[in-house]
Amino acid sequence: MLMKNKILVTGGTGYIGSHTVVELQNAGFDVLIVDNLSNSSPDVINGIEKITGKKPELIVADCADITKMDEIFSTQPAIVAIIHFAASKAVGESVEKPLLYYRNNLLSLVNMLELSLKYGIHNFVFSSSCTVYGQPEILPVTESSPIQEATSPYGNTKQIAEEIIRDTVRANSSLKAICLRYFNPIGAHPSALIGELPNGVPNNLVPFITQTAIGLRECLSIFGNDYNTPDGSCIRDYINVVDLAKAHVVAVKRMLDNKNKQMLEFFNIGTGKGLSVLELVHVFEETTGVKPRYKIVGRRAGDIEQIWANASYANNELGWRAEEAITDTLLSAWKWEQALASKK
Ligand code: UFG
């Protein structure tokens, strides 16, 4: 009899995807990665193999290509769950190229759901985002905080995706889905064998800090110190990427362990603690002993002032919690940046 133990991870060579593949393999699952490598490198597979001792299967394909994806599904009878990461994720780019974002992010989601139904794969995990909450009136946000109008096409794809998943599960009771609403993922695997690989100038704070610290960038710009926060800079909930990856393993197991239960769930995946941009920079300086140059500049358009998670639902219901200290997380990001520099 076929042992069904394979997890299909779309976008599995990306930042969060690759860390999740490691945790899935460590938990004993087989993994098939489908990735079009549009924003990642196949070298990531070697890093995953070095960490886990096992090379995950990789098929280079675009999830928006239904013919190709159908072909893949038809030859992969062992798949028992799908974790769907594959998506474009640059907020600014999505404002300039909305249709690219709707095509990439929504078409691929629809394809994956259709194929889950067609091939009888009943378990679906989706990478959602705290961006669905916009600027919340009440902090921290819980899963029942209001969903607010998206401030970018990227954010809108996450909102629409959740609705597509909701409607699909309602119409197909055999399909289970868990949407994980990530806060701000940062850091790298402690081995420094995998981590974030920003394409060009980083949009996100931590890669910009580490690249400035190593000398690749002149100076970090801090976008605004006149927000209504204690030090005037924006507040986020920074979640360690390995902790975040583990939440996916827990979600998959939860679905596999509850075969006969209907499931459509949404979880905040954060630490429950907010940290300002300035605080984060100072923690980086204190833990690494390196002081990246920084200057305060004007606000960045579209930034939310402050958001952090109430993660108690995930803590209590999933039995998952963020474990890594922010100091260790920033050290892991720094180790990763240094490892990248040593390869050049
Ligand atoms: N920031 C800087 N300088 C930089 C980069 C960022 O000051 O060079 C600030 C931002 O203004 C913001 C904070 O650092 O206040 C965090 O910014 P990031 O770009 O790292 O993260 P965001 O919170 O803007 O975005 C992240 C994800 C998105 C997701 C969003 C949900 O990158 O995919 O969280 O809120 F949609």
Side-chain angles (χ1 to χ4, degrees):
M1 210 182 103
L2 176 72
M3 171 74 180
K4 281 194 145 205
N5 192 35
K6 194 182 276 188
I7 314 297
L8 168 59
V9 182
T10 74
T13 58
Y15 174 44
I16 307 171
S18 57
H19 289 81
T20 300
V21 172
V22 165
E23 296 309 318
L24 285 167
Q25 294 197 157
N26 282 345
F29 290 104
D30 293 331
V31 173
L32 166 65
I33 298 174
V34 171
D35 201 306
N36 68 1
L37 304 177
S38 62
N39 194 21
S40 59
S41 155
D43 294 346
V44 167
I45 300 292
N46 302 328
I48 296 173
E49 187 183 9
K50 278 193 191 133
I51 297 169
T52 62
K54 203 173 156 191
K55 196 176 194 136
E57 216 177 321
L58 167 67
I59 298 180
V60 179
D62 191 331
C63 297
D65 180 348
I66 186 78
T67 315
K68 178 75 187 159
M69 290 311 295
D70 198 331
E71 204 182 294
I72 294 171
F73 275 75
S74 69
T75 55
Q76 292 283 345
I79 298 173
V80 73
I82 298 173
I83 306 181
H84 183 50
F85 289 107
S88 305
K89 62 168 188 176
V91 177
E93 185 188 45
S94 80
V95 176
E96 279 150 35
K97 300 176 187 165
L99 292 176
L100 178 77
Y101 274 67
Y102 290 116
R103 171 176 288 279
N104 272 353
N105 295 7
L106 297 181
L107 197 56
S108 50
L109 172 70
V110 171
N111 287 348
M112 298 312 294
L113 288 169
E114 273 182 355
L115 293 169
S116 307
L117 296 174
K118 179 169 174 186
Y119 289 93
I121 299 162
H122 303 300
N123 307 301
F124 198 89
V125 179
F126 177 66
S127 26
S128 191
S129 165
C130 69
T131 191
V132 300
Y133 300 118
Q135 175 57 65
E137 274 172 31
I138 301 168
L139 286 163
V141 276
T142 69
E143 289 77 1
S144 50
S145 296
I147 301 297
Q148 306 218 37
E149 197 182 328
T151 52
S152 71
Y154 161 78
N156 208 20
T157 66
K158 294 294 175 192
Q159 293 191 4
I160 298 171
E162 287 197 355
E163 286 168 15
I164 292 173
I165 291 168
R166 188 179 282 118
D167 289 343
T168 309
V169 172
R170 280 187 185 147
N172 300 276
S173 56
S174 65
L175 182 69
K176 294 181 177 51
I178 295 182
C179 296
L180 300 178
R181 292 176 177 160
Y182 314 153
F183 283 68
N184 286 55
I186 61 164
H189 193 270
S191 63
L193 290 165
I194 55 170
E196 196 168 2
L197 280 170
N199 204 349
V201 182
N203 289 314
N204 297 114
L205 179 60
V206 169
F208 211 108
I209 293 177
T210 54
Q211 288 197 4
T212 310
I214 206 119
L216 286 174
R217 312 267 156 220
E218 283 259 304
C219 182
L220 165 74
S221 294
I222 292 183
F223 300 133
N225 68 348
D226 56 353
Y227 285 99
N228 186 22
T229 60
D231 65 22
S233 64
C234 293
I235 297 177
R236 295 288 183 275
D237 183 334
Y238 295 95
I239 172 81
N240 178 286
V241 69
V242 175
D243 278 338
L244 172 58
K246 287 178 180 165
H248 297 77
V249 180
V250 174
V252 165
K253 285 187 174 164
R254 178 179 176 82
M255 295 193 287
L256 296 176
D257 290 346
N258 289 281
K259 283 212 165 54
N260 299 317
K261 209 173 135 193
Q262 289 190 20
M263 204 177 275
L264 170 63
E265 294 180 322
F266 301 84
F267 291 102
N268 283 346
I269 303 297
T271 65
K273 287 188 211 86
L275 215 59
S276 77
V277 175
L278 284 164
E279 281 171 330
L280 190 89
V281 171
H282 293 141
V283 178
F284 180 86
E285 291 173 345
E286 279 157 28
T287 15
T288 62
V290 186
K291 288 183 189 282
R293 275 187 62 208
Y294 71 82
K295 59 177 184 225
I296 310 285
V297 300
R299 293 180 178 197
R300 181 170 74 176
D303 265 344
I304 300 249
E305 181 174 270
Q306 45 188 322
I307 184 164
W308 65 95
N310 177 329
S312 11
Y313 187 52
N315 299 160
N316 301 331
E317 198 58 36
L318 286 181
W320 169 92
R321 68 180 56 246
E323 278 165 0
E324 287 304 319
I326 186 71
T327 44
D328 291 335
T329 303
L330 287 172
L331 267 180
S332 72
W334 180 226
K335 246 177 98 181
W336 167 243
E337 191 68 63
Q338 290 173 306
L340 284 176
S342 71
K343 278 189 214 150
K344 278 185 189 144

